[in-house]
Amino acid sequence: MIAAFAAVVLIAAAAPAGAQTEAITIRAGAALDGRGRSIPDAAVVVQGGKIVSVESGRGGAATYDLRGLTLLPGLIDTHVHIDTHFGKDGRATSEGESPEQSMLYSVENAWVTLMAGFTTVQSIGSPSDVYLRAAIARGVVPGPRLLTSIRPVNENTGTPADIRAFVRKVKADGADLVKLFASKSSREGGTQTMTDEQIQAACGEAKAVGLRSWVHAHSPSSIRAATLAGCTTVTHGSQATGVELALMQQHGTYFEPNIGLVSQNYLENKARYLGIGNFNEEGFAFTEKGIPMKREMFKRALTVSGLKLLMGTDAGAGAHGRSAEEIVYRVQVAGQPARDAVVDATSHNAMSLGLADRIGALAPGLDADLIAVDGNPLDDITALRRVVFVMRRGIVYKNVARSR
Ligand SMILES: [Zn+2]
């Protein structure tokens, strides 16, 4: 069995990630290119951390012979909270920890996320992400490419002018995007909190300084306000009706529902969350009611042609390393075609991050972020739970495939 074999891990301690100069050939029984195409008998050549070629039926020797497996671009999760964890008492809080202890949990989350085949994640977001992002980029901490919003905007950030100044400050502090809380938590009913003017100020200023904006919005009015303000992405959207789904489609707003992991994880770990913030019995009742509601909302979203769906999980403590569950749920429970679900988690996500020219597909010139899974996700989406090979920027971080 795969799990019985230790991972072969090569950490680029001396050389920057992706600096290898020898060409590496990876052969697999099949590949999914992340843009909707299947490639039988695939061979991918990698050099200098980049994909050089992607061919079918090439023959010849391979550095990594992954016949029987399926090759995919590294998966992308557009919404995680990489710093969240169960602390020393097993509770979902970092209370009583030193910053060093907290940071090690973040490092652990980065590691399990990479091992699960996610080579890029967007953390939405925490100030400590900045240091983790830098360490991963230096190649000394193994993890996915990390993007972060650092600190969020909410209704208490101030006037529209205050909000614009706040956006410029997080940009100066190194934020990759701006996160807004435009509605209450789903555990508190999800009604709109920021005014339309506040939302316009945040997303308008983000655009002006070259940042994307990601808007937490549950209620219909908050979704509409974010869409009309030209924000990049609406996340959650649990109460979206046909009207809001159509509006997002018309405005080209990305929509990142989270239906298969976050709520389920809260319920599975209820004892670890209960009593912290709004994780009370009333909040959990909302969470439980929300699961079928979000599933039906997502099914409706699938019928809106041209709606730009993303794959983000909102992974918190207990969910890191399990992001693929969102994809499995979308396919198995909500009926999304597997091919579309894979495209959402790769090339569509890359586009929403402004990184389509770097990641999200198996194509020449892109970063060599690729994974192999045991089985073909198009036939059995649970293959995404069985990640046996992970390469990021040409460096192999996991290879348990040789037992086959
Ligand atoms: Zn979140």
Side-chain angles (χ1 to χ4, degrees), residues 61-129:
T63 321
Y64 295 96
D65 192 339
L66 308 179
R67 258 173 290 196
L69 303 176
T70 304
L71 209 57
L72 296 91
L75 301 170
I76 301 169
D77 188 340
T78 56
H79 191 152
V80 303
H81 297 270
I82 201 81
D83 62 321
T84 55
H85 59 273
F86 298 131
K88 55 186 179 191
D89 58 357
R91 300 268 291 158
T93 172
S94 52
E95 232 167 76
E97 280 169 21
S98 67
E100 294 84 352
Q101 288 172 319
S102 298
M103 180 54 87
L104 283 172
Y105 283 112
S106 294
V107 168
E108 176 182 328
N109 290 340
W111 167 253
V112 300
T113 299
L114 181 66
M115 289 299 98
F118 283 76
T119 52
T120 299
V121 298
Q122 180 166 260
S123 184
I124 321 186
S126 162
S128 67
D129 295 346

Side-chain angles (χ1 to χ4, degrees), residues 1-8 398-404:
M1 288 304 290
I2 287 161
F5 290 81
V8 175
K398 180 180 191 179
N399 180 14
V400 291
R402 63 185 56 183
S403 58
R404 300 177 64 83

Side-chain angles (χ1 to χ4, degrees), residues 33-247:
D33 77 345
R35 294 171 176 166
R37 197 165 63 105
S38 299
I39 304 161
D41 188 16
V44 177
V45 177
V46 165
Q47 192 162 23
K50 299 274 184 192
I51 296 171
V52 175
S53 65
V54 181
E55 291 175 62
S56 181
R58 183 175 185 262
T63 321
Y64 295 96
D65 192 339
L66 308 179
R67 258 173 290 196
L69 303 176
T70 304
L71 209 57
L72 296 91
L75 301 170
I76 301 169
D77 188 340
T78 56
H79 191 152
V80 303
H81 297 270
I82 201 81
D83 62 321
T84 55
H85 59 273
F86 298 131
K88 55 186 179 191
D89 58 357
R91 300 268 291 158
T93 172
S94 52
E95 232 167 76
E97 280 169 21
S98 67
E100 294 84 352
Q101 288 172 319
S102 298
M103 180 54 87
L104 283 172
Y105 283 112
S106 294
V107 168
E108 176 182 328
N109 290 340
W111 167 253
V112 300
T113 299
L114 181 66
M115 289 299 98
F118 283 76
T119 52
T120 299
V121 298
Q122 180 166 260
S123 184
I124 321 186
S126 162
S128 67
D129 295 346
V130 172
Y131 307 106
L132 180 63
R133 181 181 64 185
I136 293 171
R138 288 201 304 277
V140 294
V141 167
R145 175 199 313 263
L146 186 65
L147 306 174
T148 179
S149 60
I150 309 180
R151 291 182 303 276
V153 179
N154 63 33
E155 73 276 18
N156 299 319
T157 305
T159 64
D162 295 336
I163 288 172
R164 289 180 187 279
F166 180 97
V167 168
R168 290 193 294 273
K169 177 75 169 87
V170 289
K171 160 92 175 175
D173 291 344
D176 299 293
L177 76 155
V178 177
K179 165 74 185 286
L180 288 67
F181 280 96
S183 86
K184 286 190 177 178
S185 160
S186 60
R187 289 179 295 282
E188 296 168 343
T191 52
Q192 186 171 341
T193 48
M194 290 176 71
T195 65
D196 290 5
E197 292 71 26
Q198 287 178 312
I199 296 168
Q200 288 156 10
C203 293
E205 192 67 16
K207 192 177 274 180
V209 299
L211 294 181
R212 298 167 293 110
S213 47
W214 230 257
V215 187
H216 164 115
H218 286 284
S219 67
S221 81
S222 58
I223 299 167
R224 290 196 299 270
T227 303
L228 294 172
C231 306
T232 311
T233 300
V234 167
T235 174
H236 309 309
S238 58
Q239 300 167 21
T241 71
V243 173
E244 289 75 38
L245 295 168
L247 194 70

Side-chain angles (χ1 to χ4, degrees), residues 253-275:
T253 310
Y254 290 107
F255 182 38
E256 182 217 78
N258 330 109
I259 66 167
L261 178 61
V262 58
S263 299
Q264 291 82 351
N265 177 63
Y266 289 145
L267 291 167
E268 284 161 24
N269 291 290
K270 185 173 173 181
R272 294 168 180 265
Y273 280 95
L274 195 62

